[in-house]
């Protein structure tokens, strides 16, 4: 039997408490400590993981030789600094998205990870581990959709306000990581427009446009000021179209056999393109929780030395795209090349 990885978690707030739940119940992990400055958060931790040691500061777990791996579920502004400290302390690191809030900081983390090949640095790009996204990638790799034309994503709700990050940096890591994962390349240019309706200087609605070298384009709508909660991605291809609806409880994927056909011979231009209305296929999607899959992948990489699916290189690419989009946002939507 493989020895469980001894894990400590920094941050037990809105999202970090989910990491506590996941690692406290995972058979491949032993949750030995949780650090958070908020006593109320540590009380919640005790209910989920009564055997985990409660700490007030990250330094307490970084200095503990019994801790093999550290999960950083802290505010995004701290991610780069804390990831560097955890790597320097000899720990394997799972840092939440985004890996950093600036290109230079993300590059520093990536360099530090590359200099320590025996340590794992993984970024918590949760959607990359979603079973529906895995199926989408398989569909695209198998040419089931044909040539991909464009992608359209919506991630909106009437959600809690953020003060330390705008909608781009709060929601963008999800969809940008999905797009890069599915298309296998970074965009050649991005542009973004947004507005701050509720808090000055913090855009609560952002529209992001990406152009890819292969000719595909993508559009992402992000906002926490919307009447409905939507988490959708539509991919339009030359053969089929597919919709990923993460809010739907059971029908996560719908594959549409719709499009335009080009007959081999035609006599009039009107006959050149014919509309095809085929069936709608709703495939079965694995119901495993993406966070549990992500945590399991991290533990596997720690024990096997396998490079993570969302490692430092992937985390850096996402930050580069978001940073370019932020520059476009500040320039009123000007196109920024990568």
């Amino acid at each position: 039997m493989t020895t469980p990885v001894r894990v400590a978690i920094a941050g037990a707030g809105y999202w970090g408490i989910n990491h506590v739940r996941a690692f406290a119940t995972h058979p491949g992990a032993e949750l030995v400590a949780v650090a958070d400055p908020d006593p109320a958060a540590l009380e919640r931790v005790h209910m989920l993981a009564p055997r985990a040691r409660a700490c007030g500061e990250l330094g307490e777990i970084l200095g503990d030789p019994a801790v093999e791996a550290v999960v950083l579920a802290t505010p995004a502004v701290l991610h780069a600094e804390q990831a560097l400290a955890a790597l320097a302390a000899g720990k394997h690191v799972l840092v939440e998205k985004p890996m950093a809030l600036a290109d230079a900081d993300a590059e520093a983390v990536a360099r530090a990870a590359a200099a320590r090949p025996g340590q794992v640095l993984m970024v918590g790009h949760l959607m990359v581990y979603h079973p529906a996204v895995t199926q989408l990638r398989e569909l695209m790799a198998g040419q089931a959709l044909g040539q991909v034309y464009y992608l359209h994503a919506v991630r909106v709700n009437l959600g809690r306000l953020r003060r330390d990050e705008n909608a781009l940096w709060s929601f963008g890591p999800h969809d940008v990581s999905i797009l890069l994962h599915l298309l296998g390349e970074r965009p050649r240019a991005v542009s973004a427009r947004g507005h701050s309706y509720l808090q000055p200087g913090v855009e609560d609605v952002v529209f992001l446009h990406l152009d890819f070298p292969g000719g595909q384009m993508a559009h992402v709508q992000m906002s926490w000021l919307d009447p409905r909660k939507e988490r959708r991605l539509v991919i339009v291809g030359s053969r089929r179209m597919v919709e990923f609806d993460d809010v739907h409880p059971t029908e996560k994927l719908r594959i549409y056999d719709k499009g335009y056909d080009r007959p081999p011979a035609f006599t009039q231009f009107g006959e050149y393109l014919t509309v095809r209305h085929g069936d709608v296929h709703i495939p079965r999607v694995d119901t495993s929780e993406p966070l549990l899959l992500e945590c399991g992948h991290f533990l596997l990489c720690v024990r096997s030395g396998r490079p993570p699916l969302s490692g430092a290189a992937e985390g850096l690419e996402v930050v580069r795209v978001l940073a370019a989009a932020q520059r476009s946002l500040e320039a009123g939507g000007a196109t920024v090349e990568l």
Side-chain angles (χ1 to χ4, degrees):
M1 180 180 293
T2 304
T3 305
V5 177
R6 297 186 298 277
V7 178
I9 298 174
Y14 175 76
W15 182 243
I17 196 67
N18 291 298
H19 278 288
V20 172
R21 171 182 56 82
F23 281 104
T25 57
H26 200 290
E30 178 187 355
L31 183 57
V32 297
V34 179
D36 196 292
D38 182 3
L42 293 178
E43 282 293 327
R44 291 191 293 271
V45 168
H46 183 71
M47 295 175 63
L48 292 172
R51 299 177 60 184
R53 179 165 55 91
C55 307
E57 297 181 355
L58 173 64
E60 295 182 55
I61 57 179
L62 294 187
D64 185 349
V67 173
E68 297 177 85
V70 174
V71 179
L72 300 174
T74 51
V77 68
L78 301 174
H79 287 175
E81 176 187 352
Q82 292 181 342
L84 289 171
L87 288 170
K91 313 299 184 186
H92 302 285
V93 181
L94 169 55
V95 56
E96 262 304 333
K97 60 197 173 300
M99 185 168 73
L101 293 177
D103 303 66
D105 292 337
E107 289 165 1
V109 174
R111 284 195 301 270
R116 296 169 173 82
Q119 294 171 236
V120 173
L121 186 286
M122 178 171 142
V123 185
H125 288 306
L126 180 70
M127 298 306 296
V128 169
Y129 300 92
H130 197 300
V133 174
T134 300
Q135 279 188 242
L136 284 175
R137 196 177 193 197
E138 291 170 353
L139 285 170
M140 293 172 65
Q143 295 296 308
L145 306 182
Q147 178 187 352
V148 173
Y149 291 152
Y150 72 91
L151 307 91
H152 174 65
V154 178
R155 190 169 297 272
V156 299
N157 66 358
L158 189 63
R160 65 188 184 94
L161 297 178
R162 281 78 164 173
R163 293 183 175 85
D164 57 347
E165 58 184 4
N166 59 19
L168 173 68
W169 287 94
S170 179
F171 292 162
H174 285 299
D175 293 295
V176 170
S177 65
I178 293 174
L179 294 173
L180 301 191
H181 181 65
L182 292 179
L183 294 175
E185 58 183 0
R186 72 157 71 168
R188 62 173 184 81
V190 301
S191 60
R193 294 184 68 90
H195 205 286
S196 308
Y197 290 103
L198 302 177
Q199 302 175 99
V202 182
E203 291 86 359
D204 37 56
V205 56
V206 175
F207 296 89
L208 172 63
H209 183 84
L210 308 95
D211 287 306
F212 287 86
Q216 306 92 345
M217 67 176 182
H219 184 267
V220 185
Q221 177 185 352
M222 298 160 279
S223 175
W224 55 70
L225 184 58
D226 197 273
R228 294 182 58 192
K229 179 176 181 179
E230 293 188 70
R231 302 285 186 268
R232 287 189 299 109
L233 171 66
V234 173
I235 306 175
V236 175
S238 59
R239 294 183 61 192
R240 293 181 182 87
M241 308 174 186
V242 61
E243 179 184 39
F244 167 32
D245 184 353
D246 199 24
V247 174
H248 199 288
T250 57
E251 298 175 5
K252 298 293 185 184
L253 291 181
R254 284 176 172 258
I255 303 171
Y256 298 84
D257 186 14
K258 294 184 177 183
Y260 284 92
D261 289 332
R262 289 175 167 81
F266 61 93
T267 58
Q268 298 179 16
F269 183 76
E271 298 173 352
Y272 179 55
L273 294 177
T274 59
V275 178
R276 182 181 71 260
H277 292 289
D279 295 331
V280 179
H281 176 54
I282 303 175
R284 179 185 177 278
V285 176
D286 183 3
T287 57
S288 299
E289 183 184 355
L291 180 60
L292 294 178
L293 295 175
E294 176 189 278
C295 294
H297 183 72
F298 176 62
L299 297 170
L300 174 64
C301 292
V302 169
R303 279 292 176 251
S304 68
R306 177 188 303 181
L309 196 58
S310 56
E314 289 78 13
L316 174 58
E317 286 300 305
V318 170
V319 172
R320 282 174 171 162
V321 172
L322 293 173
Q326 181 65 40
R327 292 194 292 273
S328 172
L329 195 61
E330 294 168 357
T335 298
V336 175
E337 295 187 1
L338 283 88

